[in-house]
Amino acid sequence: LVLQGAVRFEDYNTFGSDTNYKVGGLYRFTDNFLARATYSTGFHVPTAGQANVGNVTTAFSNGVLQDEGTFPLNSAAGQVVADYVAAPGGLTVDGADRPTLQPEESENFTLGVAFDVGSFNVTVDYFNIVLEDRISRSSAIAFLPALELLADNNGVTLTATDTSGAIAELDAAGVINAADFAGSEDLTSFAFFNNAFDTTTQGIDFVATGPLDFVPFGDTDLAVAFNWTETEVDRADDTISDGRIKVLEEGLPQIRGSATITNQMGAWRSLARVNYFGEGFEDHLDSNLALPIDIDSAITFDAEIGVEVKEGLELLAGALS
């Protein structure tokens, strides 16, 4: 029996303090069979870049090419959009929680076994990861409606039909200082880093490795790997679009696997592998499901052969299909 434990204390001048821990155990029932498990908590603060990022890119949003900005929530533009997200009649009819950027927290659990079957070693592991208040960039939010709501709340009637004109009119009315919005005057949409959603990811890893002793030439080994991973969005606020949620849950194949045969014979070595990738999904051009792409499962093959012409120098040739 092997037991382990760890404790970590962190203190941040901006985000406060947190204590995390890990406990684990391994028990060897026989020389050829063992079981193991771990449980741990995690704490991840936003990076300096996530908390202070400011840039403008030309990108597709809902299938249309437009200027899209990413600014921190504590900026003037960020506060206007945060008000818009939270206010009834803003991003939603009923309003929503005000966006914040705080640390994300996690709980991690693993349970697995390892055993021998003849000359093969086999491991099977289950993992479960719960992430709360995940740090992520929001989906694109239209900027002009946020400025229009600000104007309405301050009794200002806007005549402008673009963000630069709206900012100028709000500045003239004394509602905002246009200088605080430098760099965001021409934005069509706006995004920021916040704690927009929670997820649960679980899966199983299976790996079996061992020699193929019946092969009469050289040393030949077989490795088989299988993975099933499923992610579910448990909570998402109104800054995360339906298309983004579908990508989070279905963007990567849930099932992947491979079988690899390697051979070493003197100075020569070779490899042959078959890979399987399950179905996936892409929200093309971040169109919020207007241009969905369902990705079919696929099987690929690759092979490689190499020869060591002298110590430290090897020639390789490979192919992929």
Side-chain angles (χ1 to χ4, degrees), residues 61 127 239 281:
S61 180
F127 58 89
T239 67
F281 174 80

Side-chain angles (χ1 to χ4, degrees), residues 69-303:
T70 303
F71 289 91
L73 274 172
N74 58 11
S75 66
Q79 288 295 297
V80 170
V81 177
D83 291 339
Y84 173 70
V85 169
L91 187 63
T92 63
V93 174
D94 299 326
D97 293 334
R98 187 177 182 81
T100 60
L101 183 59
Q102 299 294 328
E104 64 182 19
E105 297 183 349
S106 66
E107 294 182 1
N108 313 276
F109 171 72
T110 66
L111 177 65
V113 295
F115 54 91
D116 294 332
V117 179
S119 58
F120 274 74
N121 177 257
V122 179
T123 61
V124 183
D125 291 283
Y126 168 78
F127 58 89
N128 186 291
I129 305 168
V130 177
L131 274 169
E132 296 182 350
D133 296 326
R134 283 186 62 166
I135 300 170
S136 176
R137 185 177 179 272
S138 71
S139 297
I141 301 169
F143 194 23
L144 182 58
L147 295 170
E148 291 173 338
L149 181 63
L150 176 64
D152 289 342
N153 291 339
N154 287 272
V156 177
T157 301
L158 294 180
T159 60
T161 58
D162 58 10
T163 54
S164 59
I167 290 173
E169 291 185 27
L170 288 168
D171 176 72
V175 177
I176 63 173
N177 182 357
D180 295 335
F181 290 77
S184 56
E185 304 93 333
D186 298 319
L187 297 183
T188 302
S189 60
F190 190 101
F192 44 74
F193 282 89
N194 67 336
N195 308 100
F197 57 98
D198 306 333
T199 60
T200 297
T201 299
Q202 61 177 338
I204 295 173
D205 281 320
F206 170 88
V207 178
T209 58
L212 298 179
D213 295 327
F214 60 85
V215 177
F217 48 88
D219 295 321
T220 305
D221 295 299
L222 171 66
V224 177
F226 168 86
N227 170 264
W228 166 73
T229 300
E230 177 186 70
T231 295
E232 182 175 349
V233 177
D234 304 315
R235 174 195 67 87
D237 68 20
D238 295 306
T239 67
I240 300 297
S241 67
D242 292 338
R244 177 82 176 282
I245 293 174
K246 189 172 178 66
V247 169
L248 287 166
E249 294 182 333
E250 303 177 26
L252 295 176
Q254 289 190 358
I255 297 177
R256 288 172 288 178
S258 67
T260 306
I261 295 177
T262 58
N263 177 268
Q264 182 77 47
M265 185 173 60
W268 291 85
R269 71 173 181 87
S270 57
L271 173 150
R273 178 167 47 219
V274 57
N275 305 280
Y276 173 80
F277 301 92
E279 298 176 346
F281 174 80
E282 179 184 348
D283 187 28
H284 189 50
L285 302 180
D286 296 326
S287 63
N288 195 21
L289 303 180
L291 298 170
I293 297 177
D294 293 314
I295 303 170
D296 294 332
S297 59
I299 297 176
T300 65
F301 302 89
D302 61 283

